[in-house]
Amino acid sequence: MVIKMEEKLLEIKNLYVTYKGEKTVRAVNGINFSLDKKETVGLVGETGAGKTSTALAIMRLLSERTGSIPEGEINYKGENLLSKTKKQMRKIRGAQISMIFQDPMTSLNPVMTVGNQILESLVIHNDSGKSQKEMNDRVDELLALVGIQPNRKNDYPHEFSGGMKQRVVIAIALACAPELLIADEPTTALDVTIQAQVLAMMEDLKNRMDTSIILITHDMGVVAEICDKVAIMYAGEIVEQGKIEDIFEGKNHHPYTIGLFEAIPDLEGEQRRLNPIDGLMPDPSDLPSGCKFHPRCTHCMEKCKTSSPPIINQNGHSIMCHLYHEED
Ligand code: SF4
């Protein structure tokens, strides 16, 4: 697939994801966002906001038994991934779109050497007929790229620390130089010093390989460090999105975004009590009527309880809330 001038690399339109069980779980409820080449977008929100379901939908990795996409489009270079066959998706996944899964401890195969796990991806997508030696050299190169000595390629995952395992997972995801990398909380399972190294490495890779990144996180600090755009998710909807400066410096925000910022400790300024958002994310199988945030919102009005808020968009900064109007 070749990207045309006017096309976005990725464009998600009105995407819904549901899971069937005893009750139908509505994990993603009509989201829209797009991504240009070499851009990083942060998908932010609490556990259960629908971030990982969005990522799995893009990868077409939702469980066939329970997950489904009843509505929406996932256009990658102008072609809807939802209309691709399984075989076509296998060609795209890993080669053009890769994912770093949340937990490096469980995403590696414990009985395969790390070198062979990286090599596997190269062999599967070896369309240009590279020789075994060329692919082995690429494994060494990838290990060096993520800061692991190539002579450790014959070691097994249990011989590596948590941070190094995550580096191996990143090397696998980058093996075929994907144009889109989805990183699902890549630093959550790591300690703080390793987190900084992994983020610096992803930023460096983005610059060197022109990769676009969807970064899933609940950490605003991480977003501020490497994202160009941010989409705040709540109960399967994007309640606010915009450029990084709209979210961190703009004056109008969704009450949920304000709540997220209020809950971040300020390490430099005056010490103050943290102000957490009262309540919990709603049960996705029993979502509230009207605005899904209304049971927790301190600005809740009568109409918020019954009618879905409009999305007000100003120069690419959009907020889904009854507090704002087009003329604002
Ligand atoms: Fe709060 Fe109403 Fe806005 Fe929802 S629509 S965030 S309840 S003010």
Side-chain angles (χ1 to χ4, degrees):
M1 277 188 261
V2 181
I3 192 161
K4 294 186 200 137
M5 277 306 279
E6 71 279 9
E7 272 171 8
K8 301 272 179 198
L9 181 73
L10 182 79
E11 202 163 16
I12 308 279
K13 288 187 183 168
N14 198 30
L15 181 73
Y16 286 78
V17 176
T18 57
Y19 296 98
K20 277 197 198 74
E22 269 177 40
K23 293 179 185 170
T24 300
V25 171
R26 289 155 58 201
V28 178
N29 300 301
I31 62 166
N32 294 281
F33 74 91
S34 64
L35 189 63
D36 282 322
K37 201 166 168 50
K38 217 180 157 181
E39 205 169 44
T40 300
V41 65
L43 278 189
V44 184
E46 289 167 81
T47 303
K51 309 181 299 290
T52 300
S53 292
T54 304
L56 293 176
I58 297 170
M59 295 293 285
R60 291 267 311 272
L61 283 176
L62 289 167
S63 156
E64 285 186 9
R65 219 162 35 83
T66 55
S68 67
I69 301 174
E71 224 181 304
E73 288 177 27
I74 300 173
N75 294 319
Y76 174 70
K77 295 185 180 177
E79 291 180 24
N80 190 355
L81 294 181
L82 300 180
S83 59
K84 300 277 173 208
T85 61
K86 283 186 184 173
K87 193 171 169 206
Q88 287 171 324
M89 271 318 291
R90 275 199 293 274
K91 286 230 155 240
I92 294 172
R93 215 184 283 127
Q96 297 191 47
I97 308 177
S98 270
M99 183 158 169
I100 301 170
F101 293 92
Q102 220 170 86
D103 184 0
M105 316 297 167
T106 53
S107 45
L108 292 171
N109 184 339
V111 293
M112 246 175 120
T113 64
V114 297
N116 279 341
Q117 294 189 56
I118 301 171
L119 186 66
E120 192 180 36
S121 177
L122 294 170
V123 171
I124 290 170
H125 297 291
N126 187 16
D127 295 335
S128 55
K130 285 194 189 77
S131 67
Q132 190 64 42
K133 169 154 189 337
E134 281 173 314
M135 287 191 284
N136 286 337
D137 288 348
R138 175 79 178 138
V139 171
D140 293 355
E141 191 186 308
L142 282 158
L143 282 171
L145 189 73
V146 296
I148 295 177
Q149 292 286 331
N151 62 10
R152 298 219 41 201
K153 68 180 169 189
N154 293 325
D155 290 351
Y156 289 86
H158 74 269
E159 295 172 271
F160 290 83
S161 68
M164 288 174 94
K165 281 196 196 90
Q166 188 61 306
R167 286 160 184 263
V168 173
V169 171
I170 293 172
I172 295 170
L174 295 175
C176 300
E179 289 183 63
L180 173 60
L181 179 67
I182 304 175
D184 188 359
E185 310 219 9
T187 57
T188 305
L190 308 176
D191 61 50
V192 181
T193 48
I194 306 293
Q195 277 183 18
Q197 287 175 26
V198 169
L199 288 177
M201 194 181 69
M202 281 175 55
E203 179 72 1
D204 181 46
L205 293 170
K206 173 179 138 180
N207 294 331
R208 268 198 278 169
M209 294 163 82
D210 285 357
T211 311
S212 304
I213 302 175
I214 296 177
L215 177 70
I216 295 175
T217 180
H218 53 253
D219 187 335
M220 283 294 202
V222 169
V223 169
E225 212 162 303
I226 70 167
C227 292
D228 303 302
K229 293 200 298 197
V230 190
I232 313 278
M233 286 192 80
Y234 184 80
E237 294 177 339
I238 292 179
V239 293
E240 178 168 354
Q241 66 175 312
K243 295 196 275 297
I244 192 94
E245 51 273 23
D246 293 330
I247 306 296
F248 282 82
E249 291 160 22
K251 75 178 183 351
N252 291 333
H253 294 294
H254 189 279
Y256 180 60
T257 312
I258 296 170
L260 288 181
F261 278 107
E262 288 277 304
I264 301 174
D266 183 355
L267 298 181
E268 284 163 11
E270 217 177 286
Q271 297 296 313
R272 61 172 175 89
R273 261 193 174 279
L274 289 184
N275 199 0
I277 306 169
D278 282 339
L280 295 170
M281 180 81 73
D283 175 354
S285 64
D286 186 20
L287 290 171
S289 57
C291 170
K292 296 179 178 57
F293 187 56
H294 86 252
R296 303 173 73 185
C297 181
T298 48
H299 300 277
C300 180
M301 302 168 277
E302 265 320 300
K303 66 176 168 184
C304 303
K305 298 178 185 169
T306 50
S307 93
S308 287
I311 297 175
I312 307 298
N313 192 329
Q314 208 170 41
N315 303 326
H317 178 202
S318 69
I319 303 177
M320 188 184 189
C321 176
H322 283 303
L323 287 177
Y324 300 100
H325 305 94
E326 287 297 348
E327 55 274 22
D328 297 335

